[in-house]
Amino acid sequence: MSGNPTGSKEQAQIRVQKQIQLPFSKAWQISLQGIRIRWMRSLITASGIFLGIAFFSSVRASGLFPVDTSSKEAIAAANRQTWLAVMALLVCFVGIMNAMLMSVTERFKEIGTMKCLGALDNFVVKLFFIEAALMGSLASTLGWFIGWLITVGIHVLTKGTADMGGAFWSGTLREVGLSIVIGVTITLLAAVPPARRAAQMPPVAALRSEV
Amino acid sequence: MAAHEYVVRTKGLVKIYQMGEEILRALNGVDLDIKRGEYISIMGPSGSGKSTLFNAIGGLDKPDEGSVFINDVDMAQLDARELAYLRCHTIGYIFQSYNLIPVMTALENVTLPTIFAGTPTDQGIERGIELLNIVGLGHRLHHRPTQLSGGQQQRVAIARSLANNPAIILADEPTGNLDLKTGEEIIELLRELNREQGVTIITATHDYKMVNVSDRVVWIRDGKIAKIEDRANIDIQVGTMQGAEL
């Protein structure tokens, strides 16, 4: 090689390989381990999601019971419920956003380090996506159930099970879906964009960030 | 001299930081050639641009002008995946604040780069144990960073930087957070690795102890290379410096 007089040709032959893409299972493994070891921190983040959805679900659950349309009071109460449900959604939105944003931004340095060790941007994003999706779906499911249980429990204790017909159960099914979709969506919205931003920074910028 | 003798070359590096109205040229035309297997210390007061130079050489930050060649490849020409390959296989990084992943054990931290390199798990673990033994932490494999002292954490970081047999180790103030004795041990370890494994070591430092072991010392001042000294001259220099300190 040293005998080659044309330096430019020699340079053209030197190529750097492309970094390999790791399989999804690797990201899954690392994410799960992260949640397990950061258990207390994950629990706090998850309880932020849980509380938001539980509040939302408990308010929504009271809408599952038929309203006595002849009573003005009952109609006014139903309207208040709608208003409360909107508020609940807002509170839950802010709560989850806050919990997830914190948990991602406090790990910017870790993201920078991983990139120094050869992690690809999308692998880092995948880690945070899996973690957020897992925590979001588990906490939302639990949050929905507890919120629903409290409202329905109180209703059953005070008014009996007379209102729990077919419409109630189909409504319940709808509420499960709604709670989980909202919970997971907000969780991902709060976690993935900042993680992507950190992954796309030059490593030195991510390393420098102090939270 | 054939070009491939140099593992790192920089040409006319300029890095500009804008701080409000003020424009700071952290690097102002740096040309530096580093040979394979050398132990280089980049010295200079804080704010001299040595960390900026370190970041540019390591591909951690992009210079505004000029180029960095690693093994004769211009880093500016690489796409994200090629750059990641370079960081994974060719360069090992050591930081002042260790930068270990807090949720992982010593062994997991050391094997992480092998995971990114696609090494099979058992081979990666074997390599991790071997490296932790080399840095003298064979008995601390499953400890988390919080359970280790500063010196031990830096040893884990050194082991991690070697995981994929890099050609270059970049160490930014590796002794900056350590006491005198631990710092000396870390310097000694780096020197050994340099001799035994032939890895090129580039440190940015203002630790004068580092001068003793360096093949060459690059002095940076105001974003420029003030002087480059090699070993023969260094000994005298150190004598006077230590004399001055005493």
Side-chain angles (χ1 to χ4, degrees), chain A residues 19 117-118, chain B residues 85 87-92 110-119 127 131 159-167:
Chain A
Q19 180 71 308
L117 302 179
Chain B
Y85 181 89
R87 291 191 193 117
C88 189
H89 294 263
T90 314
I91 307 175
V110 178
T111 46
L112 191 59
T114 69
I115 293 176
F116 293 143
T119 314
R127 174 82 180 142
L131 285 169
R160 182 178 68 180
S161 73
L162 288 164
N164 292 323
N165 279 317

Side-chain angles (χ1 to χ4, degrees), chain A residues 41-52:
Chain A
R41 186 68 185 85
S42 309
L43 224 55
I44 293 168
T45 309
S47 51
I49 304 166
F50 165 81
L51 286 175

Side-chain angles (χ1 to χ4, degrees), chain B residues 36-38 166-168 192-201:
Chain B
R36 204 171 293 280
E38 264 192 311
I168 308 160
E192 268 173 43
L193 294 169
N194 170 248
R195 283 206 195 103
E196 285 161 21
Q197 321 230 349
V199 54
T200 308
I201 295 189

